[in-house]
Amino acid sequence: MQDHLPQVRARSLLAIAILLAIIFAGAAIVVAQTRDLRSIAMREGVLVIYSATDENEASDLLRAFSARYPFIKVDYRSLSARDVYDWFRREADGGRNVADVVINSAMDLQIKLVNDRYAQAYRSTESDHLPDWAVWKDQAYAVSAEPIVMGYNPRLLTRDAVPTSHDELATILHRTPALAGRIGSYDPERSPTGYLYVSQDIQVDSDAWDLIAAVGRARPQLFQSSKDMIEQVSSAKLSLAYNIIGSYAFERAARDPNFKVVVPRDYVLMMSRVALIAREAPHPASAKLFLDFMLSREGQSLLEKHHMSPVRLDMAPENKVLAGTNVREVRVGPALMAAIDTMTFERFVRKWREAIGESAPADNQI
């Protein structure tokens, strides 16, 4: 037995040496790739980003990127989720390519752009650190992981009136007539982000339409952004807002005693902001450097400062409120396009309008 020990040790050492060689070779390739992109980006000198993320929320990330690559002038254009999609697609169709990077919380519209060949493939230097659900075809990348939550004003709702789950929200709305007109929700007809969340609720929860009907009977005020709903709750114009983006909610709650967050205990949708590089990006090297930086440990940490949790496998989110909850990640991929099929959307609109007591027009489009 002892005669074989030197051979075993030799094989083990050889295996370790091969593994180290592979690791160092991979690192060398990444360094070389970044160096080549950097050289080209110096000649490009510009990066144009269309994003549905407020510039204030991205400010630390943008400053750090500019500090690392001072030769790239960043033109960051903060738009609504609908405008990000419409402007980018209209410009691309007209042969006027402006945006290099497109970032949107309307995940399904991002996937549609990839499917319709508006994005280019690029394997990020950070790809090995990302979960399978966060990347599709090396073209669509989740850059954050954010829970969809509820928010309320503690001056207006007593503890027993605060829902802790989707089912409880429906029950409370049934038994609390005073909440009529004081509930905020996305308008899924006008907000692609809001439609995404409702359509995901319907897929996850067989009782989702019961909740939608309860919200409808409460005569909700409808919005196109989470931040507007949060502002209305904080100012006591609303008592509660449903299906809001967690990053905005947690950031406001950290500094505002008039706004609190509820993480539903039955299930939590985990959405992502999805980034892609335009197929005809005028500044592709700068775009690739930005995507790599956004997905790097430094970039993810800077996003996390604004409550956009990291997607990287080697980074645990600092926010512990999701511990033990039933998290349902919204996977980046083609399944997202099913809900934005025209006929599916029209059926949804008819049912949605019935739930909130309105008649649906004939020409709705997602």
Side-chain angles (χ1 to χ4, degrees), residues 34-106:
T34 303
R35 186 168 54 240
D36 291 344
L37 289 175
R38 183 185 180 98
S39 177
I40 299 170
M42 290 182 74
R43 296 193 294 272
E44 293 174 348
V46 176
L47 173 66
V48 180
I49 303 168
Y50 286 3
S51 177
T53 302
D54 289 349
E55 189 166 1
N56 285 340
E57 308 298 319
S59 58
D60 292 312
L61 177 76
L62 297 174
R63 274 195 296 270
F65 178 78
S66 294
R68 178 170 296 187
Y69 303 107
F71 46 84
I72 300 175
K73 179 182 179 182
V74 178
D75 180 357
Y76 187 90
R77 306 185 188 184
S78 180
L79 306 165
S80 70
R82 165 58 65 192
D83 284 344
V84 166
Y85 176 82
D86 286 345
W87 286 23
F88 171 70
R89 185 155 188 154
R90 185 166 54 246
E91 289 170 349
D93 288 345
R96 181 173 172 264
N97 298 293
V98 177
D100 299 299
V101 175
V102 181
I103 307 170
N104 207 335
S105 54

Side-chain angles (χ1 to χ4, degrees), residues 208-348:
W209 277 111
D210 292 339
L211 172 56
I212 293 170
V215 171
R217 284 190 291 271
R219 303 196 309 277
Q221 296 185 39
L222 302 179
F223 297 83
Q224 296 189 55
S225 81
S226 286
K227 297 196 84 170
D228 288 344
M229 283 188 270
I230 291 168
E231 186 62 40
Q232 294 290 299
V233 171
S234 174
S235 63
K237 293 177 182 176
L238 292 175
S239 299
L240 182 143
Y242 158 66
N243 266 9
I244 54 178
I245 298 175
S247 57
Y248 296 139
F250 286 119
E251 185 157 30
R252 185 59 175 258
R255 57 182 173 81
D256 184 351
N258 294 322
F259 185 83
K260 301 295 182 184
V261 178
V262 175
V263 177
R265 57 179 170 76
D266 48 354
Y267 71 89
V268 183
L269 291 178
M270 186 69 75
M271 62 79 69
S272 299
R273 296 168 200 270
V274 176
L276 61 83
I277 299 173
R279 182 180 181 184
E280 302 296 336
H283 316 101
S286 299
K288 292 168 184 175
L289 287 176
F290 183 75
L291 180 65
D292 288 343
F293 183 74
M294 198 164 31
L295 292 170
S296 70
R297 288 185 64 89
E298 180 180 359
Q300 293 281 284
S301 294
L302 293 168
L303 289 175
E304 190 170 24
K305 288 177 64 177
H306 297 273
H307 300 275
M308 288 176 270
S309 295
V311 292
R312 290 178 63 101
L313 294 168
D314 58 353
M315 293 180 69
E318 293 181 3
N319 193 335
K320 305 302 182 185
V321 297
L322 297 180
T325 58
N326 180 17
V327 174
R328 300 294 186 93
E329 292 96 352
V330 181
R331 189 179 186 90
V332 177
L336 283 168
M337 290 191 299
I340 58 175
D341 168 77
T342 301
M343 292 183 64
T344 301
F345 180 66
E346 288 177 350
R347 283 196 299 270
F348 167 83

